[in-house]
Amino acid sequence: MVLMEGRPKITELRPLLLLLIAACFAFEIHASSQNHDVNAIFYEPFDESFEGRWIVSTKDEYKGVWKLSKSEGHDDYGLLVSEKARKYALVKELDEAVSLNGRTIVLQFEVRLQNSLECGGAYLKYLRPQEAGWKPEGFDNDSPYSIMFGPDKCGTTNRVHFIFKHKNPNSGEYVEHHLKNTPTVPDDRLSHVYTAIVNADKEVRILVDGEEKKKARFLSAQDFEPALIPAKTIPDPNDKKPADWDERPKIPDPDAVKPDDWDENAPMEIEDEEAEKPEGWLDDEPNEIDDPEATKPEDWDDEEDGEWEPPKLENPKCFLAPGCGKWKRPMKRNPAYKGKWHRPLIENPSYKGIWKPQQIPNPHYFETDKPDFEAIAAIGIEIWTMQDGILFDNILIADNEKVAESYRRTTWKPKFNVEKEKQRAEEAAAGLSFGLSSIQKKIFDVLYKIAGVSFLDAYKPKIIDLIEKAEKQPNISVGVIVSIVVILLTVLFKILFGGKAPAVAPHEPYRGAAAGISTKEGSGSSGVTADETEKEDATPRRRSTRRET
């Protein structure tokens, strides 16, 4: 009992335990936030100027200007393609070459096509060491790379490329192997993140916005073109087809004879002798006549322009008649027509089949259980594009999938959510605008019918004028409706309490009463009062209405 009394009570330890839990939680958050820098092999957020760190190619063909620019609607910066119809090239050397063999490497970057992408590339090249024969200042399309990855779109091409170069151990040649059935490029102007998880021993997985779109095995001929492992045999390039080799399965029958009654000169069609001219046919009327209202232009010069001729019109007399001009019998198929005679085909007794060269062992054939990648020593962007506004950001190389996932969650996802929400709002606004215009049209139809009511004849010109004004300026629709309601109430008041509407001649030209409506842009109200609608313009002018009543 004494020992028990000497120990602290659980209730006394509770604040300490809570403090310990909070400290552990805070440490976990801090560790997670620091996880990026600890595990990323390379990371470029473009938070500061790229000049001096990234080297722009000095080749003459690359005229495009790179800029550090904010992503539209964000404070986040990225590397911007600033001009249309240009070639661009720049490169960033890594501090240390990254081996791809025997490990998993994650390649990831963000691209935002702020002005869409009709024709151009937005991919990255992961370059081999400079010992392969290239210099940063001379970076171009021929600079040797290990992997090319990212969006590419032009014409019928729409794909997220994944291409790797592999050295054939027998020929010493580097061969490009293209991923088949690639994902397509998202068709919008939002930020998207592209991820290639390269397990060099067996496969690559392509993610777009964190969602797996493609998985491919490096050794599979179904996944890459050409296949990584070449064919064992190839056609012998020195083998020639024998001169007497006959590939024709059928030949004309040499014993066949053309029948005596076969007339090769008989026409395919002949006149229908049984046809009769339709009743009412206008033989003396031409199908076209001179335009009677056409006049010779005043500036027409017969010497320079030639003799003037009026333009032609279809003869109106021919509209109701079966036809005009000289009648001719229609043509019909000639029953005696047989065409040119040809010998019938028979089996070729000398047929040997389609000749193919013999197969020989492929000198470039090799076997492997995994690809042998060249190390990555630099990251380059070398593109040609017709669109500007392409923004690259958050370029990452990591050896852990969770690191790439963490970057997507903290750098890409918040931006994407903001952009997506804005897109939804714009789409909703566009849909609402369409709905409002449809509703307004129905309201205008009702107002036109109201304007046709007989006891409103005196105000009909004013009402129609207001409606037309509202149709041209939808933002004043509410004010126009209010004005028309005021007119209706005024007329009803006069009728109910002894007033009478003044008579107006039914065909009297009406005046533009609403011509002087003053509006405040975006106010949604015309500001028209009942007194103003009853004022008459001193100078009447003719106007056309949308419909006649």
Side-chain angles (χ1 to χ4, degrees):
M1 292 295 293
V2 174
L3 291 174
M4 291 295 294
E5 288 177 358
R7 293 178 182 177
K9 296 181 181 180
I10 296 297
T11 54
E12 295 174 351
L13 293 175
R14 185 174 297 168
L16 183 61
L17 290 172
L18 292 174
L19 181 62
L20 181 62
I21 292 170
C24 291
F25 183 68
F27 176 79
E28 178 65 23
I29 293 175
H30 176 73
S32 176
S33 66
Q34 297 299 314
N35 199 37
H36 293 339
D37 298 331
V38 171
N39 294 282
I41 296 174
F42 171 81
Y43 177 57
E44 174 59 83
F46 294 107
D47 288 340
E48 58 186 16
S49 175
F50 62 90
E51 295 179 4
R53 297 184 301 110
W54 289 72
I55 299 174
V56 179
S57 176
T58 57
K59 287 286 190 77
D60 290 338
E61 60 188 296
Y62 298 102
K63 301 294 186 182
V65 177
W66 297 97
K67 291 184 178 180
L68 189 70
S69 176
K70 285 185 178 181
S71 179
E72 185 178 334
H74 304 288
D75 289 330
D76 185 47
Y77 283 85
L79 182 65
L80 179 70
V81 170
S82 67
E83 297 175 303
K84 299 178 181 179
R86 291 284 189 273
K87 286 185 176 182
Y88 294 80
L90 86 170
V91 65
K92 174 71 172 74
E93 293 184 78
L94 304 182
D95 294 335
E96 212 175 289
V98 179
S99 173
L100 296 171
N101 295 320
R103 64 193 299 196
T104 295
I105 289 293
V106 183
L107 310 175
Q108 182 170 285
F109 65 98
E110 296 174 22
V111 169
R112 186 178 184 188
L113 309 174
Q114 298 179 120
N115 295 326
S116 188
L117 183 65
E118 296 300 326
C119 189
Y123 43 78
L124 268 57
K125 290 183 176 180
Y126 298 86
L127 301 161
R128 290 158 49 196
Q130 291 187 39
E131 289 75 19
W134 68 278
K135 296 295 180 183
E137 296 80 5
F139 175 50
D140 62 11
N141 184 58
D142 295 324
S143 298
Y145 65 85
S146 289
I147 291 174
M148 188 179 103
F149 171 53
D152 191 21
K153 187 178 179 184
C154 193
T156 58
T157 299
N158 182 352
R159 62 185 62 179
V160 177
H161 276 299
F162 183 88
I163 304 170
F164 72 93
K165 280 191 175 183
H166 191 272
K167 184 179 180 180
N168 185 299
N170 294 331
S171 68
E173 177 187 3
Y174 283 88
V175 180
E176 284 189 356
H177 301 277
H178 294 243
L179 179 65
K180 295 181 179 179
N181 304 317
T182 59
T184 56
V185 182
D187 187 20
D188 57 38
R189 304 186 181 193
L190 310 181
S191 296
H192 293 284
V193 58
Y194 298 90
T195 310
I197 303 171
V198 182
N199 181 334
D201 289 342
K202 59 178 180 178
E203 67 183 15
V204 60
R205 290 159 48 213
I206 305 298
L207 282 58
V208 178
D209 296 345
E211 180 181 348
E212 184 174 304
K213 298 293 185 178
K214 178 73 176 180
K215 179 189 285 188
R217 296 166 295 164
F218 289 119
L219 301 184
S220 172
Q222 282 72 43
D223 290 336
F224 284 93
E225 174 64 33
L228 177 63
I229 300 177
K232 286 186 177 182
T233 62
I234 60 171
D236 183 356
N238 298 317
D239 194 11
K240 305 297 181 183
K241 183 172 71 173
D244 61 347
W245 191 281
D246 196 338
E247 294 183 331
R248 299 173 300 165
K250 293 182 179 293
I251 59 172
D253 184 356
D255 299 324
V257 179
K258 183 174 71 172
D260 294 335
D261 61 347
W262 192 288
D263 184 3
E264 291 185 341
N265 298 320
M268 184 183 292
E269 291 183 331
I270 58 174
E271 284 189 355
D272 185 358
E273 298 294 339
E274 298 178 357
E276 295 182 356
K277 182 169 67 175
E279 185 178 351
W281 189 279
L282 305 178
D283 297 83
D284 300 328
E285 289 290 342
N287 284 300
E288 291 184 334
I289 61 172
D290 293 342
D291 184 355
E293 297 182 359
T295 57
K296 180 179 177 180
E298 294 180 0
D299 59 350
W300 188 276
D301 190 327
D302 290 334
E303 293 184 0
E304 292 185 4
D305 303 325
E307 184 180 355
W308 181 78
E309 295 180 359
K312 299 290 186 181
L313 296 176
E314 291 187 20
N315 190 343
K317 294 181 181 179
C318 300
F319 291 160
L320 301 178
C324 291
K326 184 179 179 180
W327 180 79
K328 295 180 180 179
R329 285 189 173 86
M331 304 297 285
K332 69 175 185 179
R333 184 172 179 81
N334 183 3
Y337 172 75
K338 293 185 178 181
K340 186 174 179 61
W341 181 80
H342 297 278
R343 296 178 187 273
L345 297 177
I346 61 171
E347 298 292 331
N348 182 4
S350 302
Y351 176 65
K352 293 183 179 181
I354 303 299
W355 181 84
K356 295 180 181 179
Q358 65 177 346
Q359 296 287 308
I360 61 172
N362 183 359
H364 297 159
Y365 174 75
F366 68 93
E367 293 183 354
T368 184
D369 58 354
K370 58 184 177 181
D372 183 17
F373 285 98
E374 297 282 346
I376 295 172
I379 299 174
I381 306 176
E382 189 272 325
I383 57 174
W384 175 88
T385 179
M386 293 301 294
Q387 274 70 48
D388 59 356
I390 301 173
L391 193 76
F392 294 89
D393 200 5
N394 295 315
I395 300 174
L396 171 73
I397 300 177
D399 57 5
N400 188 318
E401 293 182 41
K402 292 192 176 298
V403 173
E405 181 183 352
S406 174
Y407 274 92
R408 290 195 300 270
R409 184 175 64 252
T410 57
T411 64
W412 166 75
K413 191 65 173 178
K415 289 188 295 186
F416 178 79
N417 288 340
V418 170
E419 294 162 10
K420 192 67 177 177
E421 193 62 34
K422 181 181 178 182
Q423 183 188 57
R424 288 172 181 160
E426 290 173 349
E427 290 173 351
L432 179 62
S433 175
F434 174 79
L436 284 175
S437 63
S438 300
I439 294 171
Q440 286 173 331
K441 185 178 182 302
K442 292 179 181 179
I443 292 174
F444 293 146
D445 288 340
V446 172
L447 293 177
Y448 274 114
K449 291 179 181 179
I450 292 174
V453 176
S454 58
F455 69 81
L456 292 176
D457 283 345
Y459 299 94
K460 179 178 177 180
K462 298 180 179 64
I463 295 173
I464 289 178
D465 223 1
L466 285 169
I467 298 171
E468 288 181 340
K469 190 74 174 179
E471 284 181 313
K472 294 177 181 178
Q473 303 181 53
N475 62 311
I476 66 171
S477 297
V478 175
V480 168
I481 293 171
V482 171
S483 299
I484 294 174
V485 169
V486 170
I487 293 173
L488 289 172
L489 291 175
T490 302
V491 174
L492 288 174
F493 183 84
K494 290 181 179 180
I495 293 174
L496 291 174
F497 297 96
K500 65 177 181 178
V504 178
H507 299 292
E508 180 183 347
Y510 60 85
R511 298 174 173 85
I517 292 179
S518 61
T519 62
K520 291 184 180 179
E521 188 173 351
S523 66
S525 173
S526 69
V528 181
T529 65
D531 292 338
E532 288 174 327
T533 59
E534 293 189 12
K535 291 179 181 178
E536 294 184 353
D537 196 337
T539 307
R541 57 189 177 91
R542 188 74 179 173
R543 296 185 62 181
S544 60
T545 61
R546 191 179 70 169
R547 64 175 68 172
E548 296 295 331
T549 55

